[in-house]
Amino acid sequence: MDVREVSAEDVELEYVPAAGVRERGSLGRLWSVRFESVRPERQFPAFRGQGNWCGWYWSATCGGHVGYESWLERDRLMLLDFDPLVTGMASQPFRLSWARADGKQVRHTPDFFVRRSDGTGLVVDVRPDERIEPDDAAKFAVTAAACRSVGWDFVRVGTPDAVLMANVRWLAGYRNPRVHRPEVAARLLEAFADGGGLLAGARRVGDQIAVLPVLFHLLWRRVLAVDLEAGLLSAGTRVRLAMPREGGQDAVASAAVASG
C-alpha cells in the first residue's frame, strides 16, 4: 500500500470493548471509540522459560493496571504515566488490517493507545531501532498514515535515555496517592520556593524518613521538578518548583515524553 494513498476506509479495525463482545469496522467509522478504556487484544501470560517479560503495571493516571509484553514496554508505560498531559491509556488496544498491493492481508496491533488532556489520541509502537525489519517498517508507515487520516498522532519509540529512565523508575515507586501527606507537601513547597538541594530541603521540613517519600511523590506529580537527565537523583540534586504543565506544552507532548 502506498502510504500517500492510505485512507481511514482502507484500514479495518477490530477491538474488544469493556462489555467483551468483539467489534470490527473501518477505522473511519470507529476512530471515535474511547480506546483508552477497551480490553487488550492479547493476554499477558507468564510461564517458566518465557523469552519475554509480560506483566501488569499499576498506572497512577488510570487508577488501574495496564499490561505490557516486555521490560521496554513497561518502561514506556512509566514514561507515559509520568507525562502530565496523558489522561488515559490502554495496551494492545486494537488490531488493524489492510491489503497490500499484491492482495495479501497485513495485520498489526499497536502497543498502546493514549488519550491526552486536550482530547487528542496518540498511538504508540515500542520497538528498538536495531530490531526493525523491512516488514516492520512498512507496518509502522501504514499505521502512521492511517492515524493521520483520523487526526491521531503516531510514534514509534525505542530504548529511552538510561539516566532519565532510572530516575523515573525510582519516582514511580512513590506514584500512589496514598504516599501524599498534604501538610508535609505544603512545607516542602515552601522549602523549595527558591530552589535547593534535595536532602537539605527535606531536612528543613522534618524527619527525612517521613519527608522524602512525599518529596518523591511531588516530583512524580511534577509539582516539584529536577533535571532528570543531568544525573541520578542524589542528596545534592537541585529541586525547584515546577512550571505550570511542565513536561510538555503542545498537543504532541506525549510523543516527545515517550521518546525520551
Side-chain angles (χ1 to χ4, degrees), residues 5-201:
E5 300 176 358
V6 173
S7 78
E9 301 306 318
D10 294 325
V11 178
E12 184 176 78
L13 183 150
E14 298 179 53
Y15 76 101
V16 182
V21 180
R22 179 173 293 275
E23 297 189 19
R24 61 172 54 87
S26 70
L27 174 61
R29 181 171 70 84
L30 296 176
W31 72 271
S32 60
V33 170
R34 306 297 295 184
F35 288 110
E36 66 272 29
S37 302
V38 301
R39 295 188 181 187
E41 271 292 308
R42 296 195 289 261
Q43 300 303 310
F44 306 97
F47 51 86
R48 186 183 298 275
Q50 189 171 359
N52 61 318
W53 295 91
C54 296
W56 294 89
Y57 167 81
W58 187 84
S59 164
T61 299
C62 302
H65 289 87
V66 183
Y68 59 84
E69 293 185 309
S70 68
W71 288 134
L72 181 55
E73 287 189 15
R74 183 208 58 184
D75 285 351
R76 288 298 174 179
L77 270 176
M78 283 187 186
L79 288 172
L80 289 168
D81 201 23
F82 186 52
D83 184 346
L85 298 185
V86 171
T87 60
M89 50 191 162
S91 55
Q92 312 292 329
F94 46 71
R95 178 187 299 160
L96 302 174
S97 60
W98 59 87
R100 292 194 327 195
D102 60 6
K104 181 180 178 180
Q105 284 292 119
V106 180
R107 291 182 174 182
H108 178 57
T109 301
D111 292 312
F112 303 112
F113 180 86
V114 176
R115 184 70 64 185
R116 295 172 293 200
S117 57
D118 62 358
T120 57
L122 170 68
V123 175
V124 181
D125 266 311
V126 181
R127 188 74 62 87
D129 296 348
E130 66 275 12
R131 290 187 52 208
I132 299 178
E133 302 294 336
D135 284 349
D136 299 323
K139 287 181 180 181
F140 296 151
V142 173
T143 300
C147 289
R148 286 195 298 271
S149 73
V150 294
W152 294 341
D153 291 312
F154 171 82
V155 64
R156 193 279 308 170
V157 294
T159 304
D161 176 79
V163 173
L164 169 68
M165 197 64 243
N167 285 328
V168 171
R169 286 193 202 106
W170 176 264
L171 295 180
Y174 301 89
R175 67 189 182 277
N176 196 297
R178 66 171 176 263
V179 177
H180 186 61
R181 295 175 59 191
E183 68 284 358
V184 175
R187 295 202 297 273
L188 281 167
L189 294 184
E190 293 177 2
F192 291 109
D194 297 319
L198 186 151
L199 188 57

Side-chain angles (χ1 to χ4, degrees), residues 176-257:
N176 196 297
R178 66 171 176 263
V179 177
H180 186 61
R181 295 175 59 191
E183 68 284 358
V184 175
R187 295 202 297 273
L188 281 167
L189 294 184
E190 293 177 2
F192 291 109
D194 297 319
L198 186 151
L199 188 57
R203 285 174 171 167
R204 286 198 299 273
V205 171
D207 181 353
Q208 64 192 57
I209 295 177
V211 172
L212 284 174
V214 183
L215 171 55
F216 293 139
H217 181 69
L218 294 178
L219 288 170
W220 171 265
R221 289 175 50 203
R222 307 286 187 105
V223 177
L224 295 174
V226 298
D227 186 344
L228 293 174
E229 296 182 80
L232 296 177
L233 290 171
S234 67
T237 298
R238 185 169 180 80
V239 180
R240 56 183 171 79
L241 300 182
M243 299 295 290
R245 298 188 69 178
E246 187 158 347
Q249 298 295 330
D250 57 30
V252 296
S254 297
V257 170

